[in-house]
Amino acid sequence: MGELFSYPESELSGKVSVQARVPLEQCRSLCSSRSGCLGFDFSSSNGASVCKLFEKVDSAHNSPEHTAGTRTLVAGYPPPSNPPLQPLPPLSQTNPSAPEASDVSGRKVSYRGIPGDRRPIGWVYINVCSGAPVNASALRKSVNDFVFEALRLIPGRIERFDRNKAPQCSGAPKAIGYVSANAEKWRVVAALKEMEPLLRSLGIGARADGTLSTRDVDDYRIEIWLSHL
């Protein structure tokens, strides 16, 4: 469903559809994954967490005890911490045959982040071994819909491998995290930790597995190998 606009220290007013006692990131993920959720707010007091999902958002007001997120900007309220990107200028009329944008799926791109979002960008590679009993397309969508705290992870192209020719296809399905030599390893470890419930439901184990070659242009990478059981 895409990322929500983040409003720290904010409480929403509107029509609540669901109220639950779940952690902040699960509250955010629940709203992000539901098309009918137009916003959420979360508060925690004396160890008790309260997550509210809104089917209608009327307004917002400052509240240090709350964290909120919305699917659209809140009218008449200060901008979110992750404001929308500015639209690109229109193509010049003198160049009607400009080439289409290149496919950056699964590759490093030139930007380091999104305005208002300090998380660096990492990549998820989903490698499918022939005979693997996992729906790779559904897994890719689940990863894409998940809201991560440590990294902004973008699934790359799904690659398929002959299990008889790829040694990585042996054993159980696994997700392996890598970082470049000059990156902060804790970020990819934290992302794997966040992803564990999603992976565990599919029988996929996760581990951090050292650093990438210094020649590699990726700072962060997670490879999910859907091996044949």
Side-chain angles (χ1 to χ4, degrees), residues 26 67 104 130-131 169 210 224:
Q26 188 174 349
T67 297
V104 297
S130 60
C169 287
I224 299 178

Side-chain angles (χ1 to χ4, degrees), residues 36-212:
C37 180
L38 299 187
F40 78 90
D41 70 28
F42 171 88
S43 63
S44 180
S45 177
N46 298 322
S49 299
V50 178
C51 168
K52 296 179 182 178
L53 304 186
F54 289 77
E55 62 181 76
K56 181 183 178 184
V57 175
D58 295 327
S59 61
H61 61 271
N62 180 259
S63 175
E65 295 81 19
H66 286 76
T67 297
T70 59
R71 201 167 294 282
T72 59
L73 297 175
V74 180
Y77 194 67
S81 61
N82 56 339
L85 294 173
Q86 294 299 315
L88 294 174
L91 290 175
S92 170
Q93 295 302 313
T94 60
N95 185 20
S97 59
E100 294 183 1
S102 60
D103 178 15
V104 297
S105 175
R107 301 181 212 149
K108 194 71 175 179
V109 290
S110 59
Y111 56 87
R112 287 290 303 151
I114 290 179
D117 190 337
R118 296 179 179 274
R119 294 174 298 170
I121 294 172
W123 297 101
V124 175
Y125 294 80
I126 299 179
N127 308 310
V128 188
C129 300
S130 60
V134 180
N135 186 325
S137 297
L139 174 60
R140 183 185 190 281
K141 184 180 185 306
S142 297
V143 174
N144 191 38
D145 290 345
F146 199 90
V147 179
F148 292 91
E149 184 70 24
L151 287 176
R152 176 180 294 279
L153 290 178
I154 305 175
R157 184 180 295 106
I158 296 175
E159 300 286 352
R160 302 191 180 276
F161 292 83
D162 183 342
R163 63 177 297 220
N164 296 316
K165 297 179 180 178
Q168 297 93 332
C169 287
S170 62
K174 51 195 172 289
I176 307 170
Y178 303 93
V179 295
S180 68
N182 61 347
E184 298 172 295
K185 183 176 179 180
W186 72 267
R187 290 187 180 277
V188 76
V189 173
L192 280 171
K193 186 72 175 176
E194 287 185 76
M195 207 188 302
E196 271 187 356
L198 170 67
L199 298 175
R200 193 182 301 117
S201 67
L202 299 173
I204 301 172
R207 71 172 189 269
D209 204 45
T211 59
L212 297 168

Side-chain angles (χ1 to χ4, degrees), residues 7-27:
Y7 289 94
E9 298 187 357
S10 299
E11 183 178 7
L12 301 180
S13 297
K15 185 175 182 181
V16 176
S17 59
V18 176
Q19 181 168 316
R21 294 185 179 276
V22 296
L24 171 59
E25 285 311 312
Q26 188 174 349
C27 182

